[in-house]
Amino acid sequence: MDCEEVVYSNDYYDFIMEYEIQNRGRPVSPCIQEINKDYDVAYLPREGSLSLNIQNYMYTSIPKCYTLMDESALEASGILRIQNQPALSLKGQGVLIGFLDTGIDYENPVFRNSDGSTRIAGIWDQTDRTGTHPGGLIYGSEYREEQINEALNSQNPKEIVPVTDSDGHGTFIASVAAGSEVPEKNFIGAAPYAKIALVKLKPAKEYLREFYFIPEDAQAFQENDIMAGVRYLEQFAAERHMPLVLCFGLGTNMGSHTGVDPLSSVLNKFALHNERAVVVAVGNEGNERHHYLGVMEEEQPYQNVEINVGEGVKGFSVELWARAPQRFVVEIISPTGERMPSEYILSGGREYDFLFENTKLSVDYRITGILDGAQVIYIRFENPSQGLWNIRVFPEVEMASIFHMWLPMQELMSGEVYFVRSNPDSTLTVPSTAIVPMSVGAYDARDDSIYLRSGRGFTPNGWFKPDFVAPGVGILGAGPRNQFIARDGTSAAAAITAGAVALMMEWGIVRGNYTTITSIEIKNILIRGADRDEKRVYPNKAFGWGRLNLYQAFEDFRIR
């Protein structure tokens, strides 16, 4: 069997396997991609396997799909002052910044040194099957700095390094974090001397797009491919003996939002390694009405959750999460009043066809997670009719009083779907809810107002996220045809922060001023140096601990 072929084939399911549960009767695959000591990815033929739904497999084993979250900014963040401060003059020398994204336009001058050579140390293109796999990985093609320079010096660069970025998101984010200075355009990245490593993620397989009802034109990437990308960046930096900042500008609304999902676990462990740091965007779901907070009053028989479904929606899912030992059951009522009655199932599910709506509905109950034992009720609507759908949530045990519900991110839905009585808090996307990485929101540096779509905290288990905010409105970066464009979004804020972290790593690790500095210490230094308004209470659900100010962080660090 050609294991590379099965990675790309839609005839094979991808499953994320935890070592603790791999020997519990699950079919063994001859094709395994090792991620780390905790997780593998197994590829099983769809023919002969159970149909893909939550009740047939563990909730965490089916890969989630993630999507993109799209000079004054550097000044507001105190980065320019650090770059230009004579005694410091920090610009990221000797530090590697890693990205997992849509690709990179490696020919763009913003990624070159003054002599025309590349500043990109390595690229793993998961979509390319013509080159050599990276060590320990069974698919994709790796291109190193030497090959990129060879391509740049040739008449047809793409014949040597065929990496592209048709979307432009990866190119933009990498330029914001680590773009070279372009004086005539008044542009400079946050860490213009840092080296760049990038993973071009392959698109999600068609069977997963169908399962999650993802539109054809939407960017979607599988959780297991992202986890493999993290592994690649870690081993690449270790081979070069370089400090690494991982900039993560992707997210999903699926999961408990408590930092215990597989990808969050991988990022937590990565960020705890020496000379490693992780910066994650909190997503752009703050104003999308995709979160519902349920608080049951004493002796309240049920709580009614209304979901408005627009015209032409092919399907969507909604997840209800409750922390242990709480348990709930649901009853679903269609726009015409047809009812799917409640039925408590500890682990399993049922399907129901609504006659007048021509809607197929499945409800699966799961107790998930080795660490937290949370309940998830996974509700999947196929061909939902337009109108108001009601989900009645009943407490199954006396202590059941608080639950959260999330709809998919707007970019992954085929139409308008929202909670009528939505809650703007706890709208951080996964994996920004992971505890160790730096979770960054976005604000408008022109008037210090929050970016309206920036995800808000806190997490359902009470962690103070976001950690802080960085500029994310009107951010200048590299665009098509070597032009510069402005974008909004928390991924831009994360890129600026990743550059700031690279400058701190240069000062501490590369220059030997603080060689034992850790990701958690860097996060705390940035939190202490953040700008805070006197009239605002911190930690704040929108601003976290304040606005990023790298210069003030160094001031406080010096005083200490």
Side-chain angles (χ1 to χ4, degrees), residues 54-306:
I54 302 298
Q55 67 187 61
N56 289 334
Y57 300 98
M58 289 190 62
Y59 172 83
T60 55
S61 68
I62 301 176
K64 313 301 182 293
C65 284
Y66 289 68
T67 193
L68 309 171
M69 300 179 291
D70 247 341
E71 180 148 322
S72 57
L74 298 188
E75 187 173 352
S77 302
I79 293 174
L80 278 183
R81 294 181 70 183
I82 290 297
Q83 289 180 350
N84 298 327
Q85 207 279 339
L88 294 175
S89 189
L90 298 170
K91 295 188 177 179
Q93 186 80 39
V95 179
L96 185 68
I97 304 182
F99 305 88
L100 303 111
D101 221 291
T102 60
I104 191 167
D105 177 12
Y106 67 86
E107 297 180 68
N108 195 307
V110 82
F111 301 122
R112 300 202 203 181
N113 296 304
S114 57
D115 62 0
S117 61
T118 188
R119 290 182 42 242
I120 302 172
I123 301 172
W124 178 31
D125 187 345
Q126 295 182 349
T127 70
D128 179 17
R129 302 175 61 182
T130 63
T132 303
H133 309 326
L137 295 159
I138 62 175
Y139 62 109
S141 300
E142 182 184 28
Y143 299 97
R144 295 289 181 109
E145 187 172 352
E146 299 77 13
Q147 293 167 285
I148 299 171
N149 279 326
E150 180 186 354
L152 292 175
N153 291 324
S154 70
Q155 291 186 343
N156 298 299
K158 291 296 188 292
E159 292 183 0
I160 299 173
V161 179
V163 178
T164 60
D165 184 10
S166 58
D167 180 88
H169 187 270
T171 298
F172 179 86
I173 295 304
S175 71
V176 170
S180 300
E181 184 174 12
V182 184
E184 60 271 22
K185 298 294 184 180
N186 196 30
F187 173 83
I188 187 171
Y193 290 176
K195 288 286 188 178
I196 297 167
L198 182 133
V199 176
K200 179 178 179 178
L201 298 166
K202 72 178 183 65
K205 288 185 177 181
E206 191 60 34
Y207 82 85
L208 275 178
R209 298 181 72 96
E210 293 172 357
F211 180 70
Y212 292 125
F213 303 107
I214 297 173
E216 291 183 4
D217 59 347
Q219 294 276 8
F221 309 101
Q222 292 181 202
E223 184 176 16
N224 55 297
D225 289 325
I226 297 170
M227 293 164 68
V230 175
R231 168 185 167 159
Y232 168 78
L233 293 172
E234 162 61 30
Q235 68 186 35
F236 185 85
E239 177 188 317
R240 297 176 68 96
H241 304 287
M242 294 181 71
L244 170 63
V245 184
L246 176 58
C247 179
F248 195 88
L250 307 171
T252 182
N253 258 353
M254 303 185 69
S256 66
H257 293 66
T258 57
V260 296
D261 57 279
L263 179 56
S264 293
S265 298
V266 167
L267 293 178
N268 276 332
K269 291 194 174 183
F270 177 94
L272 289 172
H273 291 171
N274 292 334
E275 301 187 355
R276 302 291 181 262
V278 180
V279 178
V280 183
V282 302
N284 305 326
E285 285 286 295
N287 199 41
E288 299 302 323
R289 306 186 71 176
H290 291 159
H291 170 245
Y292 182 91
L293 173 61
V295 180
M296 306 286 293
E297 302 293 337
E298 190 175 353
E299 297 185 0
Q300 182 180 0
Y302 65 85
Q303 189 159 132
N304 194 55
V305 181
E306 299 168 308

Side-chain angles (χ1 to χ4, degrees), residues 397-430:
V397 292
E398 289 185 5
M399 68 284 292
S401 59
I402 298 175
F403 62 90
H404 293 263
M405 298 175 72
W406 285 278
L407 290 162
M409 292 175 60
Q410 187 61 43
E411 291 80 1
L412 296 181
M413 288 203 286
S414 59
E416 186 177 55
V417 182
Y418 61 86
F419 292 112
V420 174
R421 292 176 292 122
S422 62
N423 181 280
D425 299 330
S426 298
T427 48
L428 309 164
T429 53
V430 175

Side-chain angles (χ1 to χ4, degrees), residues 424-446:
D425 299 330
S426 298
T427 48
L428 309 164
T429 53
V430 175
S432 68
T433 51
I435 186 62
V436 183
M438 291 166 241
S439 304
V440 183
Y443 79 100
D444 190 336
R446 294 170 297 188

Side-chain angles (χ1 to χ4, degrees), residues 323-454:
R323 297 182 65 190
Q326 302 178 110
R327 295 200 305 269
F328 295 89
V329 295
V330 296
E331 175 183 85
I332 300 170
I333 304 172
S334 75
T336 62
E338 193 172 353
R339 185 185 307 262
M340 178 183 181
S342 63
E343 177 184 359
Y344 178 69
I345 305 171
L346 180 62
S347 182
R350 57 177 296 197
E351 294 182 349
Y352 189 87
D353 292 314
F354 286 86
L355 179 64
F356 291 108
E357 278 77 11
N358 191 31
T359 298
K360 185 175 182 179
L361 188 76
S362 63
V363 179
D364 290 285
Y365 293 83
R366 289 283 164 175
I367 302 299
T368 185
I370 296 173
L371 296 177
D372 59 355
Q375 182 195 35
V376 56
I377 305 177
Y378 186 87
I379 308 170
R380 187 174 184 268
F381 293 79
E382 184 175 345
N383 191 36
S385 62
Q386 183 179 2
L388 205 62
W389 288 80
N390 288 270
I391 301 177
R392 290 183 174 176
V393 182
F394 296 82
E396 173 62 20
V397 292
E398 289 185 5
M399 68 284 292
S401 59
I402 298 175
F403 62 90
H404 293 263
M405 298 175 72
W406 285 278
L407 290 162
M409 292 175 60
Q410 187 61 43
E411 291 80 1
L412 296 181
M413 288 203 286
S414 59
E416 186 177 55
V417 182
Y418 61 86
F419 292 112
V420 174
R421 292 176 292 122
S422 62
N423 181 280
D425 299 330
S426 298
T427 48
L428 309 164
T429 53
V430 175
S432 68
T433 51
I435 186 62
V436 183
M438 291 166 241
S439 304
V440 183
Y443 79 100
D444 190 336
R446 294 170 297 188
D447 59 6
D448 292 344
S449 63
I450 197 70
Y451 173 51
L452 195 59
R453 295 187 64 196
S454 183

Side-chain angles (χ1 to χ4, degrees), residues 526-534 536 538 544-547 556:
L526 294 178
I527 285 174
R528 284 196 294 269
D531 292 327
R532 287 179 274 273
D533 299 325
E534 293 182 359
R536 188 172 286 125
Y538 297 93
W545 290 99
R547 303 186 304 276
D556 292 349

